[in-house]
């Protein structure tokens, strides 16, 4: 299931709200999402975001604002991602 999971327990964090904007151009699709998750714990949570792709889908880049920072994620190939998850 796609979403944000607490790394220590693999518990899914509840999605509070979402907004999605998509733009198709030929074979390319650009998707911008605004996802807000709720941390039910008192302490900060280290998490992992999971979004499974179909065989023919490719991610060219992924960036997320977290607080006042912008975090760029490294996209892993499928076998390596399956090893960790």
């Amino acid at each position: 299931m796609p979403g944000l999971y607490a790394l220590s327990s693999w518990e899914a964090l509840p999605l509070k709200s979402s907004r999605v904007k998509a733009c198709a151009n030929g074979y390319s699709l650009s998707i911008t999402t605004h996802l807000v998750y709720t941390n039910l714990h008192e302490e900060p949570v280290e998490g992992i975001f999971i979004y499974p792709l179909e065989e023919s889908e490719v991610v060219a880049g992924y960036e997320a604002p977290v607080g006042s920072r912008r975090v760029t994620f490294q996209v892993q190939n499928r076998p390596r991602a399956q090893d960790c998850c």
Side-chain angles (χ1 to χ4, degrees), residues 1-5 10 12 37 48-52:
M1 173 79 107
L4 185 62
Y5 292 81
W10 285 105
Y37 290 90
I48 185 167
F49 184 76
I50 298 177
Y51 189 87

Side-chain angles (χ1 to χ4, degrees), residues 1-70:
M1 173 79 107
L4 185 62
Y5 292 81
L7 200 53
S8 61
S9 64
W10 285 105
E11 171 189 8
L13 277 69
L15 181 62
K16 182 178 179 179
S17 66
S18 65
R19 185 174 63 235
V20 179
K21 178 180 163 185
C23 178
N25 185 5
Y27 291 108
S28 297
L29 175 65
S30 173
I31 299 176
T32 302
T33 61
H34 181 104
L35 307 172
V36 177
Y37 290 90
T38 303
N39 179 3
L40 301 176
H41 307 282
E42 291 186 20
E43 68 278 350
V45 173
E46 182 177 7
I48 185 167
F49 184 76
I50 298 177
Y51 189 87
L53 300 173
E54 296 293 328
E55 284 293 326
S56 61
E57 295 175 328
V58 176
V59 174
Y62 189 87
E63 187 176 88
V66 179
S68 61
R69 301 179 304 161
R70 242 187 217 302

